[in-house]
Amino acid sequence: MVAAEVPKLASAAEYFFKVGAEGKRFRPTVLLLMASALKFPIGDSTEVLSILANKLRTRQQNIAEITEMIHVASLLHDDVLDDAETRRGVTSLNCIMGNKLSVLAGDFLSRACVALAALGNTEVVSLMATAVEHLVTGETMQISTSREQRRSMEYYLQKTYYKTASLISNSCKAVAILAGHTAEVSMLAYEYGRNLGLAFQLIDDVLDFTGMSASLGKGSLSDIRHVIASIPMF
Ligand code: FPP
Ligand code: MG
């Protein structure tokens, strides 16, 4: 999906999908586990049902792939905003190819939309588009805070939902919806992703203060350098 016509764009877009720079793959792993938990409600006892179950698994896997592409796109842009030098234990793309190509490579990953549209489910398209909108909203909230907002835990948690939890929660819900689950089950999947996403970012923000660059695979103390108020400051 990340293959591009122009060689420079191709190598930039592929950068964080290559072995050694692929990261923990936390989001796709959570989504594949969610897919296993939310299989076809009808089971897979006959050959026809087993074919349908496999088809569903592939569609749910597509959500995991699309989610990772959106996530990587946001990291490419984030590293430009944060002037990051390392990411996932390797030199950041902005350091290798410059800010302009990093931003364009992130934009190029909107190719994930083609795979999303191919799923042919408007509710799922809407969930994932909302998550992208939230990523941008969260990042904007982070870089444009007033003195009052920097002191507000409520503002911080709302920003954290937009910045990190929305992508995980909405993609978990998408996995449930593709399997034809009820609104109640889909909401439970959403809530699970939301809480996991919030917890993930809270730990990430603590590690920014306490972690060492070598074990994090990215620079530390970035938040304090950029005057970003996060959980350790409250
Ligand atoms: C990492 O945060 C960054 C994010 C979770 C989201 C960044 C979102 C954007 C830049 C908006 C653009 C979005 C798209 C889809 C192109 P962090 O800096 O706290 O974490 P880090 O320590 O991993 O850098
Ligand atoms: Mg960053």
Side-chain angles (χ1 to χ4, degrees):
M1 258 200 273
V2 299
E5 228 173 274
V6 183
K8 214 167 192 175
L9 184 56
S11 55
E14 280 168 15
Y15 190 67
F16 281 122
F17 296 98
K18 289 205 164 149
V19 178
E22 76 278 37
K24 299 180 289 296
R25 292 182 170 169
F26 171 69
R27 289 158 187 79
T29 304
V30 167
L31 291 168
L32 292 179
L33 290 170
M34 183 60 82
S36 299
L38 299 178
K39 284 189 215 155
F40 244 163
I42 46 176
D44 55 1
S45 46
T46 69
E47 201 184 329
V48 175
L49 290 179
S50 137
I51 291 169
L52 285 175
N54 284 340
K55 223 175 145 193
L56 169 65
R57 178 79 186 181
T58 306
R59 284 161 67 73
Q60 290 172 319
Q61 193 176 316
N62 288 337
I63 294 291
E65 291 161 353
I66 291 161
T67 301
E68 182 64 7
M69 282 176 77
I70 295 172
H71 173 59
V72 167
S74 78
L75 295 183
L76 289 171
H77 286 192
D78 183 68
D79 284 347
V80 170
L81 292 168
D82 288 352
D83 302 311
E85 288 171 6
T86 46
R87 165 76 65 187
R88 293 182 168 179
V90 294
T91 308
S92 62
L93 190 69
N94 45 308
C95 268
I96 296 178
M97 292 193 166
N99 285 347
K100 288 183 183 177
L101 216 76
S102 276
V103 170
L104 290 171
D107 291 344
F108 178 76
L109 294 179
S110 61
R111 173 174 278 192
C113 296
V114 178
L116 186 56
L119 290 173
N121 185 314
T122 48
E123 191 176 359
V124 166
V125 172
S126 167
L127 289 172
M128 300 307 289
T130 302
V132 173
E133 179 199 321
H134 285 171
L135 278 166
V136 179
T137 303
E139 197 68 10
T140 311
M141 282 174 80
Q142 179 164 288
I143 61 170
S144 55
T145 44
S146 66
R147 187 182 276 255
E148 268 314 300
Q149 286 163 339
R150 275 202 290 277
R151 287 204 208 105
S152 162
M153 184 71 175
E154 204 185 317
Y155 185 89
Y156 167 77
L157 287 176
Q158 187 62 40
K159 175 203 80 175
T160 303
Y161 167 71
Y162 285 142
K163 195 178 110 168
T164 307
S166 176
L167 179 62
I168 305 176
S169 55
N170 280 301
S171 53
C172 279
K173 187 174 178 187
V175 161
I177 285 170
L178 284 180
H181 283 283
T182 59
E184 194 191 351
V185 172
S186 304
M187 263 330 271
L188 288 172
Y190 171 88
E191 283 300 332
Y192 173 80
R194 183 176 179 277
N195 290 319
L196 189 66
L198 288 173
F200 182 95
Q201 189 60 50
L202 294 184
I203 304 265
D204 193 74
D205 288 346
V206 171
L207 289 176
D208 189 72
F209 274 78
T210 61
M212 305 298 285
S213 300
S215 58
L216 295 177
K218 58 188 179 186
S220 58
L221 298 175
S222 162
D223 289 339
I224 205 153
R225 219 176 315 121
H226 291 93
V227 202
I228 293 169
S230 64
I231 190 91
M233 293 188 199
F234 287 101

